[in-house]
Amino acid sequence: MLRGQRTIFEGVRHAMPNETLTITDNRTGKTYTLPIDKDAIRAIDLRQIKTGPEDFGLLSYDPAFQNTASCQSAITFLDGDRGILRYRGYPIEQLAEKCSFLEVAYLLLNGELPGPDELDEWIANVTRHTMIHENLKKFMEGFHYDAHPMGMLMSTVAALSTFYPEARSIHDAATRKLEITRLIGKMPTLTAYAYRHSLGLPYVYPDNDLGYTKNFMNMLWRRTEPKFSANPVLARALEVLFILHADHEQNCSTSAMRAVGSSFADPYATTAAAIAALSGPLHGGANEEVLRMLDEIGSKDRVPAYIEQIKAGRGKLMGFGHRVYKNYDPRARIIKQVAEEVFEVTGRNPKLDIALELERIALEDEFFVKRKLYPNVDFYSGIIYQAMGFTPDVFTVLFAIPRTVGWLAQWQEMLLDGEQKIARPRQLYIGKPARQVVRIEEREAPAAMLATVAR
Ligand code: CMC
């Protein structure tokens, strides 16, 4: 799949028209020739391989889609072996250095960086949609004081679908554009409200004189001052973190976005599904878990013992490892630099020393080296967020704000892709063969069934 991506996006090796794969089915002795395009065969081409007319045809079996491309995409390029990440062809390092988050959002959604006029118009449009309906605020108030911010965000994004029923017209380009802009505008507001709800603080309305991240910081942290003034270093750090998290091709939440969107659900319901996927500790929820892990370790001298515990199979090193990156995650490298800048303002987070020691030991250890386990984006982001004043349960909602842009870009691409259909994988049935139902009075105790359930 990675080699295939290189062929599509880098032009390293163009698919030749006569590139084919010849398969011999040893069950029948028949030979089939399948076309190879962009270093991939089409799974549907396997269907012709049959043992007889009654046979359904050959399937490919790929739990967790480890070697299956579910779409063609022109949005994000990722080479996990070389630690490369690009949005629309631009290296993530350059985007993080030279662009604002909304510039990057425009790029992801439209394919090109905006010129000054396009950017002004885009910012004005997003800013116009920062307010949320007062009824949605009441909805938020209904949550218990200790509701997890991800749960609140997921529910309120889903609730937006009831406020904007016209969003169901997903095939209308103008409606799509409006709802995409609306959702990007509202995400910081919903997140800030969820954050302040968990602290028991009154909600702060958006200040549309401020930029995207500064306004977000205003809604998070303004107390009684008439005008909130964000620290520019922290605002820029948040901007960079947002850029790094904006898209990451076909990860779990983006795949959820595409799968749910393929049923033509509206963008709010679809984004709520993606938020649900992101909340898990193996995905976006890992940033929260990293801080809990660092708390559990407690001090630098306890790192070796903790590593031994992981190697013995008791838990995972959170913030380490990645399905695609088998080299240093380029986002983690940038985040480490951002951390230094943030700590100049906030003071050094003492957790950083534990994290650095954990990284140092893990990168030298045979267990981690052999498995190509490196720090991922979530390893250092939480340490920055905590230094900025966020509590760990808010970390994943901070991931969700920028990723919404990637989700929506991928959702739109999926809707415009003539090859896409409703997502509907196949299965290999391993259950009982057909059997007859016995009436309850004649049925024996299901000992075997109970044993299966207890397992
Ligand atoms: N700590 C210890 N061992 C690990 C870890 C880890 N963090 N990650 C993978 N391994 C081991 C795994 O047990 C397996 O060992 P073995 O070959 O002996 O069975 C080997 O490495 C291969 O791992 P895998 O489970 O096949 O890898 P995967 O591609 O299915 O999982 C992952 C990728 C990110 C879910 C996993 O590395 C993980 O759980 N990491 C910790 C959670 C985390 O940091 N998630 C954030 C991912 S990046 C940002 C995002 O997606 O939001």
Side-chain angles (χ1 to χ4, degrees):
M1 194 162 138
L2 288 170
R3 286 199 315 116
Q5 281 187 329
R6 225 172 278 155
T7 309
I8 302 166
F9 296 110
E10 294 197 305
V12 166
R13 196 165 66 81
H14 294 287
M16 306 291 285
N18 59 354
E19 282 198 331
T20 55
L21 173 74
T22 301
I23 299 175
T24 303
D25 184 349
N26 293 324
R27 299 171 301 176
T28 59
K30 281 193 194 157
T31 294
Y32 303 82
T33 301
L34 311 185
I36 297 176
D37 185 18
K38 303 181 186 82
D39 281 357
I41 59 160
R42 288 186 174 251
I44 199 76
D45 286 346
L46 297 173
R47 192 75 74 74
Q48 61 186 297
I49 303 177
K50 297 180 178 196
T51 52
E54 297 299 305
D55 187 357
F56 179 77
L58 204 64
L59 292 175
S60 61
Y61 174 56
D62 187 10
F65 306 113
Q66 294 191 75
N67 197 42
T68 295
S70 60
C71 62
Q72 303 195 36
S73 179
I75 300 174
T76 289
F77 172 78
L78 205 169
D79 184 329
D81 293 330
R82 294 192 288 163
I84 294 174
L85 173 62
R86 296 182 202 136
Y87 296 160
R88 302 280 190 186
Y90 293 109
I92 191 69
E93 294 80 6
Q94 290 181 26
L95 293 169
E97 186 192 332
K98 297 181 183 167
C99 295
S100 67
F101 171 65
L102 284 185
E103 267 176 273
V104 172
Y106 185 99
L107 170 72
L108 285 167
L109 289 160
N110 300 295
E112 295 297 338
L113 282 166
D117 292 345
E118 289 87 8
L119 183 62
D120 286 349
E121 191 189 341
W122 169 233
I123 291 173
N125 285 341
V126 170
T127 308
R128 193 171 306 134
H129 291 291
T130 52
M131 286 277 183
I132 57 171
H133 196 288
E134 285 295 295
N135 282 351
L136 200 71
K137 213 171 84 179
K138 289 186 205 143
F139 188 94
M140 184 77 80
E141 278 161 8
F143 286 111
H144 208 43
Y145 73 96
D146 60 354
H148 196 285
M150 268 310 253
M152 289 193 261
L153 185 68
M154 196 192 320
S155 318
T156 47
V157 168
L160 283 176
S161 130
T162 65
F163 288 79
Y164 304 107
E166 69 277 14
R168 270 177 256 157
S169 304
I170 54 162
H171 298 297
D172 178 61
T175 305
R176 264 198 323 268
K177 191 173 172 194
L178 172 65
E179 305 309 335
I180 287 173
T181 314
R182 198 173 248 159
L183 194 42
I184 293 171
K186 291 188 190 329
M187 282 301 283
T189 315
L190 292 174
T191 301
Y193 280 23
Y195 174 69
R196 291 184 75 104
H197 181 83
S198 59
L199 296 175
L201 291 170
Y203 307 136
V204 172
Y205 285 104
D207 179 345
N208 285 350
D209 292 341
L210 302 173
Y212 197 76
T213 44
K214 287 188 176 164
N215 174 42
F216 178 47
M217 292 163 87
N218 156 66
M219 292 187 286
L220 290 166
W221 291 319
R222 189 168 140 216
R223 295 285 170 137
T224 53
E225 64 273 40
K227 187 96 184 158
F228 182 80
S229 162
N231 180 298
V233 175
L234 300 188
R236 181 61 201 160
L238 206 51
E239 195 97 6
V240 172
L241 285 161
F242 279 6
I243 291 170
L244 300 182
H245 285 89
D247 193 52
H248 212 232
E249 53 116 299
Q250 308 313 316
N251 55 82
C252 179
S253 56
T254 303
S255 301
M257 184 85 188
R258 280 180 174 264
V260 175
S262 75
S263 76
F264 296 162
D266 76 55
Y268 300 105
T270 308
T271 304
I275 295 173
L278 186 73
S279 70
L282 297 188
H283 192 9
N287 55 13
E288 180 179 345
E289 294 305 320
V290 170
L291 255 286
R292 300 204 190 290
M293 175 185 76
L294 296 177
D295 275 343
E296 189 189 329
I297 296 172
S299 60
K300 228 170 116 175
D301 56 302
R302 294 178 58 184
V303 168
Y306 193 82
I307 297 251
E308 287 311 312
Q309 186 182 310
I310 301 289
K311 284 162 63 179
R314 293 199 295 280
K316 278 187 169 178
L317 199 52
M318 299 312 286
F320 258 71
H322 199 275
R323 168 62 57 80
V324 182
Y325 288 123
K326 300 300 171 194
N327 193 323
Y328 211 93
D329 182 337
R331 301 168 300 171
R333 192 171 281 125
I334 301 170
I335 287 183
K336 250 173 121 174
Q337 289 163 12
V338 173
E340 295 302 335
E341 290 158 25
V342 168
F343 296 155
E344 291 278 315
V345 177
T346 61
R348 195 178 163 86
N349 185 339
K351 304 269 168 49
L352 182 66
D353 292 329
I354 307 175
L356 287 169
E357 182 69 355
L358 208 50
E359 179 183 341
R360 189 187 67 76
I361 297 183
L363 293 186
E364 285 173 358
D365 193 293
E366 155 91 21
F367 177 94
F368 296 91
V369 174
K370 204 172 87 193
R371 291 171 176 78
K372 298 189 175 167
L373 301 172
Y374 292 89
N376 58 50
V377 70
D378 292 322
F379 192 64
Y380 287 105
S381 61
I383 300 175
I384 304 181
Y385 290 141
Q386 193 177 50
M388 289 170 92
F390 293 104
T391 48
D393 57 354
V394 183
F395 295 171
T396 316
V397 293
L398 298 171
F399 191 153
I401 296 175
R403 185 53 61 87
T404 298
V405 170
W407 289 332
L408 291 167
Q410 301 266 355
W411 169 73
Q412 173 148 270
E413 185 178 63
M414 180 269 303
L415 289 175
L416 297 176
D417 180 346
E419 272 201 319
Q420 290 294 335
K421 289 170 176 266
I422 186 164
R424 206 309 184 181
R426 293 279 172 178
Q427 65 167 12
L428 304 182
Y429 179 69
I430 56 165
K432 300 267 192 256
R435 50 186 176 157
Q436 305 303 315
V437 175
V438 177
R439 288 192 183 281
I440 183 79
E441 54 277 11
E442 295 155 32
R443 216 176 293 155
E444 285 180 17
M449 189 188 88
L450 290 176
T452 313
V453 172
R455 234 187 304 154

